[in-house]
Amino acid sequence: MPLLDTIPAGGPALAQERRLVTPLPGPRSAEILARKTDAVPAGVAHTVPIAAVAAGGGIVVDADGNSLIDLGSGIAVTSVGNAHPKVAAAVAAQAAQFTHTCFMISPYESYIEVAEALNRLTPGGFAKKTALFNSGAEAVENAIKIARKHTGRQAVVAFEHGYHGRTNLTMALTAKAMPYKSGFGPFAPEVYRAPLSYPFRDGLSGADAATRAITQIEKQVGAENLAAVIIEPIQGEGGFIVPADGFLPALAEWCRANGVVFIADEVQTGFARTGTMFASEQFGIEPDLVTTAKGIAAGLPLAAVTGRAEIMDAAHAGGLGGTYGGNPIACAAALAAIDVFENDGMVERAQQIGALLRERLNALAAADSRIGDVRGRGAMTAIEFVDPATKAPDAALAGAVAKACIAEGVIVLTCGTFGNVIRFLPPLSIGDELLNEGLDVVAGALAAV
Ligand SMILES: *Cc1c(COP(=O)(O)O)cnc(C)c1O
């Protein structure tokens, strides 16, 4: 029996309050999750023990009527807010018009409009083109295809702590074995890993970390064999690692000098999340190619590769595409979301959220030496838990704090190669009051474990 008489409509009209009416999961969610266990393979795991029925602003409501504060945005996806009215209206209108023609068969204007918007918004004053796909991993795969065709070379360098997806090539690019790769090999060949800049742990300047990486690439791969270097400007799943100043520009400069395509994977950092439209802007780099997904279409499956026109045009006609890539409903959602990002102050809101997160988390860290580092940019900020004496990663503590927060009705996500980071990715539609309440719960959870 559902405890909810009626399921509330999502979007900003949803009551912006944390309210638990049952322990989690409540009976109705428990019933649905038991069916999940029977019907869905164990490999598709979940961290919050609820069945969601509505979401909006900074709230997720479950099937029992519990309201949880959302500090994860479904992994940095619902940045403009869940069920945003402009997105919902655009999706409904497009669904009534036509749902699919296949852009490779009968093209339509909205795909081209999304491409034009991305060509305009991504960093770099040069001529650009954009191809659309369905997921971040698919965008990364295609960026590598394009770079290989353009250069006539095969090797690709990715970085320590990098995350690029779960397909075969993107598993090869991803650094972390468990849970992303273990048992799923063999992986795509000609993928090499270089050391990152991780200031909290390596203490290197950006220039020194870049020299270390470039020397390794030159000696172990050889510039003449290298098609592309792919890197997240801030590592997402790897632990919100912000490289030291100068690291990314030095890498980009070396790529340019050696005819290597520099790919910024902005799937998690893109679309206002870090307090600029794209994180690359904050590091002073103009990538040759940029991959985007997550925040692009408010939850509809869409992804893109945007980059220098002459590189993007390297692939022959018919070499890029896919049945659903740039689906018209996803494009309608993206155009509505991009309108919100550009015209409803989302970049400024991400900066405000970042300032609030910084202030609260710095205060927490000052009072608790188990928080070794507070880092990130804008509404993509994290805390790394360590043993105060040795700086050894403390994954058990991060896990226990996250679990306690969720039980109290605050959705937080962990990340990091060592699993010892809690990351904050609130929707940019969250209010300060709710955000502060969520952080109060985090502080309480930390004090209690
Ligand atoms: C999530 C993510 C991906 C993969 O995107 P999917 O849509 O899950 O395939 C790739 N790169 C980065 C940086 C990501 O955060």
Side-chain angles (χ1 to χ4, degrees):
M1 259 298 285
L3 294 182
L4 275 176
D5 300 335
T6 53
I7 292 173
L14 207 52
Q16 295 296 299
E17 58 173 7
R18 179 172 64 110
R19 196 167 68 99
L20 294 185
V21 296
T22 72
L24 302 183
R28 179 66 183 131
S29 287
E31 196 181 300
I32 294 168
L33 293 175
R35 281 166 47 209
K36 176 188 180 244
T37 304
D38 287 343
V40 180
V44 185
H46 66 271
T47 54
V48 183
I50 62 165
V53 296
I59 287 291
V60 175
V61 178
D62 78 4
D64 297 285
N66 295 301
S67 285
L68 291 80
I69 297 176
D70 182 10
L71 300 185
S73 305
I75 321 184
V77 169
T78 53
S79 296
V80 298
N82 225 311
H84 189 289
K86 284 186 184 173
V87 174
V91 165
Q94 181 58 47
Q97 208 64 35
F98 65 96
T99 50
H100 176 81
T101 59
C102 187
F103 190 76
M104 304 182 301
I105 308 295
S106 306
Y108 36 89
E109 189 175 8
S110 58
Y111 182 121
I112 298 157
E113 284 182 79
V114 173
E116 289 167 344
L118 287 170
N119 295 343
R120 174 170 58 81
L121 289 170
T122 49
F126 38 80
K128 289 177 227 152
K129 293 194 176 184
T130 290
L132 300 180
F133 304 97
N134 303 292
S135 70
E138 203 188 348
V140 169
E141 293 249 359
N142 279 279
I144 304 294
K145 278 169 66 172
I146 292 164
R148 283 177 169 158
K149 194 75 202 287
H150 171 73
T151 57
R153 305 172 183 170
Q154 295 187 351
V156 179
V157 162
F159 283 80
E160 288 173 344
H161 311 287
Y163 179 85
H164 300 288
R166 295 170 178 272
T167 58
N168 188 264
L169 175 57
T170 59
M171 279 193 292
L173 295 168
T174 290
K176 190 174 175 180
M178 200 59 191
Y180 306 124
K181 304 170 73 165
S182 278
F184 299 141
F187 303 111
E190 286 305 309
V191 172
Y192 301 88
R193 195 164 310 285
L196 188 69
S197 164
Y198 189 164
F200 176 62
R201 294 204 173 271
D202 64 25
L204 293 179
S205 71
D208 287 348
T211 300
R212 179 177 67 171
I214 289 165
T215 304
Q216 182 168 321
I217 294 167
E218 285 178 337
K219 298 305 165 200
Q220 298 185 15
V221 187
E224 67 279 16
N225 302 309
L226 188 56
V229 163
I230 182 165
I231 188 164
E232 301 155 83
I234 300 172
Q235 273 59 33
E237 305 304 302
F240 284 21
I241 303 164
V242 182
D245 282 346
F247 179 74
L248 291 172
L251 267 183
E253 187 48 47
W254 180 85
C255 285
R256 189 161 15 256
N258 288 279
V260 174
V261 177
F262 182 85
I263 305 170
D265 183 350
E266 292 236 25
V267 166
Q268 192 156 156
T269 51
F271 296 100
R273 176 55 54 189
T274 63
T276 46
M277 196 59 89
F278 293 93
S280 292
E281 297 165 41
Q282 294 180 46
F283 297 99
I285 52 170
E286 293 183 346
D288 297 314
L289 302 180
V290 177
T291 52
T292 53
K294 293 199 166 91
I296 191 173
L300 276 286
L302 191 71
V305 182
T306 302
R308 290 182 187 273
E310 68 274 18
I311 299 178
M312 291 297 294
D313 274 332
H316 47 272
L320 304 176
T323 306
Y324 298 119
N327 167 272
I329 298 175
C331 285
L335 291 173
I338 290 169
D339 174 17
V340 176
F341 283 123
E342 284 204 275
N343 300 315
D344 294 352
M346 288 296 112
V347 166
E348 295 73 22
R349 184 62 192 141
Q351 292 168 3
Q352 291 165 1
I353 288 173
L356 195 158
L357 283 170
R358 273 280 163 174
E359 191 189 321
R360 293 290 311 267
L361 297 173
N362 281 338
L364 211 56
D368 193 325
S369 57
R370 295 174 298 174
I371 299 177
D373 198 20
V374 179
R375 59 173 180 256
R377 295 283 170 91
M380 180 173 182
T381 292
I383 46 183
E384 173 163 356
F385 292 99
V386 297
D387 179 323
T390 64
K391 234 168 132 172
D394 193 344
L397 178 59
V401 172
K403 210 169 165 210
C405 290
I406 291 166
E408 290 292 318
V410 178
I411 299 174
V412 295
L413 313 176
T414 59
C415 66
T417 297
F418 307 105
N420 65 324
V421 177
I422 289 185
R423 55 174 153 173
F424 299 95
L425 292 165
L428 305 178
S429 53
I430 196 170
D432 282 358
E433 215 171 299
L434 218 48
L435 181 55
N436 270 312
E437 184 180 338
L439 293 168
D440 290 342
V441 170
V442 174
L446 182 61
V449 288

